[in-house]
Amino acid sequence: MKREIGLDARPENLKVIRDFIEDACREAGVPASEAKDIKLAVDEACCNVVEHGYAGSPGTGPVGVAFEADGKTIAVTVSDRGRSFDPSQAPGPDVGAGWRDRRIGGLGWHLIRQLVDDVRYESGAAGNRLTLVKRRPPVPEKTERG
Amino acid sequence: MEITTLQRGSITVIAIAGSIDGMTATTLVTSFREQVAGGNVRIVSDFAAVEYTSSAGLRALLETVKETRQQGGDLRLAAVQPDVLRVLELSGFTHILKLFPDVEAAVASFPA
């Protein structure tokens, strides 16, 4: 199944996007624990677009979210037309550091990497596309008792 | 998200209800900063009714922990629910923040 939504990249639309992901996951039969992971990862990705994508003119650009699920994977693509940012260049936080040394930034990408199995990024004339992929656990085959 | 603040002796209890995200975290940061600016650096944040947080909420917590501890206080969390606890754990925040099962225990943990 495939579902898509397109909105202005504004903070108040983050909840709309989370609700969209929740509904799509429910429709695709994604278990609650995986749905929560996907929802948070997508929220982080969209929040980055809202906060940084259209810096200088916040809220003036679009953010698109496309949800696609089959038996093996759930893929959510976040697209925008703002400033490109390759997540592989994002510095990771030192999660073992004490409170004095912990930096305030970098947590969003860290969470995304923890929550999904694959992060793909492409940027070109048509804008930026970030795809978050979560693999679905195999459904155990039913066995006959006896 | 709703924020309710009350004073318990020398401890400021900030109860949060709802979801903390890139939109609502701004309100939370303002609320924490107001308390710290007013000299209230012994803070308990009641998370019993927080159903969701993104990294925007974690940034608010980290900033406030740093500010309060640098001034001899602390920000301690009470009644963190499982979904939020998972986000704290994934981010290494359970090593930084002191967590308590309820507001009573968090308030009592501060020296008199």
Side-chain angles (χ1 to χ4, degrees):
Chain A
M1 64 162 269
K2 188 169 182 177
R3 296 285 176 270
E4 289 181 69
I5 189 172
L7 297 158
D8 285 339
R10 294 180 181 279
E12 59 267 36
N13 282 332
L14 292 172
K15 177 163 180 8
V16 180
I17 292 168
R18 291 201 304 275
D19 290 346
F20 163 79
I21 293 291
E22 258 183 23
D23 290 347
C25 283
R26 196 176 304 120
E27 199 180 331
V30 179
S33 63
E34 286 169 47
K36 284 173 187 171
D37 287 358
I38 295 163
K39 184 174 74 169
L40 178 54
V42 173
D43 192 22
E44 295 292 348
C46 291
C47 192
N48 282 330
V49 175
V50 168
E51 288 183 356
H52 308 296
Y54 301 99
S57 48
T60 56
V63 59
V65 179
F67 176 100
E68 203 164 0
D70 60 25
K72 291 186 175 168
T73 60
I74 298 140
V76 182
T77 301
V78 175
S79 54
D80 69 85
R81 293 179 168 276
R83 204 168 55 174
S84 65
F85 179 77
D86 183 349
S88 65
Q89 303 302 312
D94 182 358
V95 294
W99 65 273
R100 283 187 186 82
D101 300 324
R102 273 304 286 267
R103 287 184 301 106
I104 294 198
L107 284 163
W109 287 113
H110 168 76
L111 282 174
I112 290 172
R113 291 190 198 103
Q114 303 280 307
L115 294 164
V116 298
D117 298 304
D118 197 10
V119 178
R120 298 174 201 149
Y121 181 77
E122 52 189 320
S123 183
N128 312 304
R129 285 165 58 85
L130 178 76
T131 303
L132 310 173
V133 181
K134 195 152 177 84
R135 283 189 285 276
R136 307 181 80 162
V139 178
E141 284 182 32
K142 284 179 184 168
T143 51
E144 293 289 327
R145 278 176 178 268
Chain B
M1 187 193 64
E2 285 180 31
I3 297 175
T4 313
T5 304
L6 59 92
Q7 202 66 26
R8 293 272 300 269
S10 67
I11 314 296
T12 305
V13 178
I14 300 179
I16 308 162
S19 295
I20 311 172
D21 67 3
M23 169 83 185
T24 60
T26 316
T27 314
L28 182 59
V29 167
T30 304
S31 188
F32 281 142
R33 283 181 186 166
E34 277 173 5
Q35 293 303 325
V36 174
N40 296 321
V41 294
R42 287 149 63 100
I43 301 174
V44 168
S45 196
D46 183 358
F47 263 58
V50 177
E51 60 214 26
Y52 174 85
T53 188
S54 71
S55 66
L58 301 185
R59 287 197 292 270
L61 295 176
L62 184 57
E63 176 191 308
T64 309
V65 162
K66 285 175 179 251
E67 287 294 325
T68 52
R69 287 185 186 170
Q70 278 161 7
Q71 297 182 47
D74 200 2
L75 165 69
R76 298 180 181 175
L77 302 190
V80 176
Q81 301 300 300
D83 289 350
V84 172
L85 182 63
R86 174 164 151 77
V87 181
L88 294 177
E89 285 171 343
L90 286 173
S91 312
F93 270 46
T94 46
H95 302 299
I96 295 176
L97 291 159
K98 292 193 173 97
L99 274 56
F100 296 87
D102 53 41
V103 170
E104 295 309 315
V107 168
S109 74
F110 282 91

